[in-house]
Amino acid sequence: MDPSKWIDVTSESFKYSLDHFVIPSHYQKDVSSILIPHGIIMDRIEKLAKLIVEDSKGPLVICCVLKGGHQFFADLVNEIKKCNTVLGQSVPLSLEFIKVRSYHNDVSTGTVSISLTDEECQDWKNKNLLIVEDIIDTGNTMVKLLHKLQEFQPASVRVASLLLKKTPKSNGYVPNYVGFAIPDEFVVGYALDYNEYFRDLDHICIISVSYILDFG
Ligand code: 5GP
């Protein structure tokens, strides 16, 4: 792993107390700490957008991996649009959505289902794709998705993932753009869910063990 490509988040240095930030009251008991506050996420996305625009020579098809990637996708696209307007760059964007599912509760099921039809993807031939994902854990989902995308003969495919989990279960896959490398813990918030809960939490948080025992 190349630590210069991302912010290395360690359990010791980055666990913020819940008392120091605002958390919706319906989640107070369900998360144990804040790993990445929302403001830091937004500042990091501003930089990722700049890097992506600098590396882009022409139009970009930005593909959101649903559901977990939707918040990162929305904020990243906004920042790329700002590069086009404020900084005077010119990267025409088109936006696409891919639904992928591989997790049940906090456990990877090992099977990855990708909802993509040939009609949806036929326009991707010879285009430059940017896949926007919330988190790479084992890397199996992304490797499978990238393999599938080759069927549509894009000119290039790059991947931006907000989070990269430091886990011994990794298959070694590393995205082109990474926001933060995080400890091997189950995180929620900023559209990352646990069975559809916590998507409406702004900060990226560590789920509490008691929540998993009660509802897992
Ligand atoms: P992978 O195939 O890389 O093991 O897993 C990728 C997918 O698993 C992600 O897109 C995400 O949906 C889910 N995932 C992996 N780790 C976490 C986590 O810590 N929290 C949440 N909410 N989802 C995760």
Side-chain angles (χ1 to χ4, degrees):
M1 285 205 191
D2 175 5
S4 64
K5 281 180 71 179
W6 49 69
I7 295 173
D8 189 25
V9 177
T10 60
S11 305
E12 304 73 44
S13 54
F14 279 83
K15 275 184 182 163
Y16 299 89
S17 161
L18 299 182
D19 297 334
H20 293 156
F21 293 88
V22 177
I23 295 273
S25 55
H26 51 279
Y27 290 140
Q28 278 285 347
K29 293 202 197 71
D30 304 332
V31 293
S32 60
S33 62
I34 296 169
L35 193 64
I36 314 175
H38 185 248
I40 297 180
I41 300 171
M42 297 306 287
D43 288 342
R44 181 68 183 137
I45 292 174
E46 185 181 5
K47 177 68 181 189
L48 292 177
K50 205 162 171 283
L51 294 174
I52 290 165
V53 168
E54 280 167 8
D55 292 346
S56 299
K57 302 285 171 278
L60 207 50
V61 179
I62 310 189
C63 305
C64 173
V65 180
L66 294 170
K67 293 182 184 174
H70 85 82
Q71 193 64 61
F72 176 40
F73 171 84
D75 290 331
L76 185 66
V77 168
N78 269 341
E79 288 300 331
I80 294 176
K81 286 193 313 197
K82 272 192 219 162
C83 293
N84 277 336
T85 52
V86 181
L87 301 181
Q89 310 271 5
S90 176
V91 181
L93 307 177
S94 50
L95 310 181
E96 298 283 352
F97 298 85
I98 306 171
K99 194 161 184 185
V100 174
R101 198 171 157 78
S102 62
Y103 256 63
H104 178 69
N105 290 350
D106 59 340
V107 180
S108 174
T109 58
T111 54
V112 181
S113 85
I114 300 169
S115 315
L116 266 183
T117 62
D118 289 356
E119 296 84 65
E120 283 171 326
C121 312
Q122 60 193 2
D123 293 346
W124 297 358
K125 192 169 176 180
N126 298 328
K127 300 274 173 66
N128 295 309
L129 305 186
L130 177 73
I131 311 300
V132 178
E133 172 69 299
D134 52 357
I135 183 166
I136 305 291
D137 184 355
T138 62
N140 294 340
T141 304
M142 191 48 68
V143 166
K144 187 153 183 212
L145 178 59
L146 291 175
H147 183 74
K148 174 87 186 155
L149 291 173
Q150 286 314 313
E151 288 175 21
F152 308 109
Q153 301 175 298
S156 70
V157 183
R158 284 176 287 157
V159 176
S161 180
L162 183 63
L163 307 175
L164 175 65
K165 210 180 267 191
K166 294 176 278 185
T167 169
K169 289 177 278 167
S170 166
N171 64 7
Y173 173 77
V174 174
N176 305 82
Y177 307 96
V178 175
F180 306 87
I182 63 162
D184 193 4
E185 304 202 50
F186 195 80
V187 292
V188 291
Y190 195 72
L192 285 110
D193 75 313
Y194 182 91
N195 279 346
E196 299 303 326
Y197 290 99
F198 303 105
R199 291 199 199 275
D200 56 335
L201 178 62
D202 281 339
H203 313 294
I204 292 177
C205 296
I206 310 274
I207 199 167
S208 69
V209 175
S210 60
Y211 183 88
I212 293 180
L213 291 177
D214 288 347
F215 299 100

